[in-house]
Amino acid sequence: MKQSVKMIVGNWKMNGLAAQIDEAREVDAVLRSEQAESRVVICPPATLIHRVKMALEGGRVEVGGQDCHAESCGAFTGSASAEMLADAGATLVILGHSERRDAFRESDADVSAKVESALAYGLEPIICVGERSADRDTGRAVEVVTAQVAGSLPASLEGKAFAVAYEPIWAIGTGRTPTTGEIAEVHAAIRQALVDRFGEGGRAAPILYGGSVNPGNAAAILRTPDVGGALVGGASLKAHDFLAIIRAAH
Ligand code: PGA
């Protein structure tokens, strides 16, 4: 993927009943007519993946999952595997989101195992990292984030398509964002970690910013050095707002 082509990912989280599919339809219809250059992904809850995929068949918007189990099948009540997400029509999956790391106690090693499973079933992983506000306040943001990158990305990503999303935990759903200078500093550190680890291949992976991206701040964030796109939560639920963010990318 050309670095100039931004990747805009909508994370619907645990939101969306059948009626929400109309928002995805609207995003896709507008993008088809506008010839937007950006790569656009919607990650609905698992219950809607197949229906969103069917609704967008042949369109401009790709469909992803929000998490997967590391195993492909078995006695894991309530979980969905990477193979199941792929079978439902997903081609990408968000992994290691801070809400999973926090609420489900996922460690870097757990995230890494999930990435392996995603790759095994042909899903492109979007691997999330991000510091707590206490880490930022004590000047440890870069240290914490680069440690997460080291622990959550398995060696098998070498040569594969993947993205990293930098999401400061204190910025998610709060309306607060880092300055573009702070975003640039962390993205540069992530880029360096990727290049050290994967060589030239580490330059190709887009590094997305996530955390309170909205139509008002998207253009400045997306113009920041080494910001390859955005991971958008709340503002991805309404086609109008999500389209405004996508338009801000070009
Ligand atoms: P937000 O969520 O845009 O609602 O802050 C981002 C995310 O958690 O991916």
Side-chain angles (χ1 to χ4, degrees):
M1 185 167 70
K2 241 173 50 195
Q3 276 292 315
S4 56
V5 174
K6 303 292 186 195
M7 181 173 181
I8 311 294
V9 182
N11 173 12
W12 285 1
K13 308 193 180 185
M14 198 175 75
N15 297 292
L17 303 175
Q20 177 71 18
I21 300 169
D22 287 343
E23 302 292 328
R25 269 198 201 94
E26 187 179 335
V27 170
D28 190 55
V30 171
L31 293 181
R32 286 190 209 215
S33 67
E34 283 187 1
Q35 321 253 321
E37 235 209 344
S38 303
R39 188 175 173 203
V40 179
V41 182
I42 289 178
C43 301
T47 47
L48 289 184
I49 288 176
H50 185 65
R51 278 181 284 175
V52 170
K53 180 74 175 184
M54 292 295 106
L56 305 184
E57 197 65 52
R60 281 273 289 103
V61 178
E62 298 167 74
V63 180
Q66 299 176 8
D67 174 52
C68 70
H69 199 282
E71 300 291 332
S72 55
C73 61
F76 302 105
T77 303
S79 296
S81 70
E83 187 177 23
M84 290 168 176
L85 298 182
D87 186 54
T91 49
L92 302 96
V93 63
I94 298 169
L95 294 173
H97 191 284
S98 62
E99 288 154 14
R100 303 281 322 172
R101 290 179 185 263
D102 266 2
F104 299 90
R105 304 268 179 277
E106 289 185 10
S107 65
D108 288 342
D110 295 330
V111 177
S112 178
K114 291 178 177 209
V115 173
E116 301 264 20
S117 192
L119 294 176
Y121 293 102
L123 296 179
E124 185 175 334
I126 301 165
I127 305 145
C128 304
V129 294
E131 83 283 0
R132 298 174 188 287
S133 68
D135 300 324
R136 177 153 289 282
D137 293 346
T138 52
R140 295 181 62 238
V142 165
E143 181 192 328
V144 166
V145 167
T146 49
Q148 287 176 330
V149 169
S152 309
L153 276 63
S156 51
L157 280 169
E158 174 104 53
K160 301 274 174 32
F162 70 96
V164 173
Y166 168 52
E167 298 204 304
I169 296 172
W170 52 272
I172 295 175
T174 60
R176 291 169 59 211
T177 55
T179 64
T180 52
E182 288 167 337
I183 295 173
E185 183 195 16
V186 178
H187 280 229
I190 294 172
R191 176 65 66 209
Q192 191 56 53
L194 294 179
V195 171
D196 290 348
R197 184 84 184 281
F198 301 109
E200 275 313 295
R203 281 194 206 290
I207 304 171
L208 317 180
Y209 168 79
S212 296
V213 176
N214 62 45
N217 62 21
I221 290 171
L222 290 165
R223 269 199 309 270
T224 302
D226 231 335
V227 172
L231 179 52
V232 186
S236 71
L237 290 169
K238 289 269 166 261
H240 177 266
D241 289 347
F242 195 46
L243 282 163
I245 292 168
I246 295 164
R247 289 190 186 109
H250 47 89

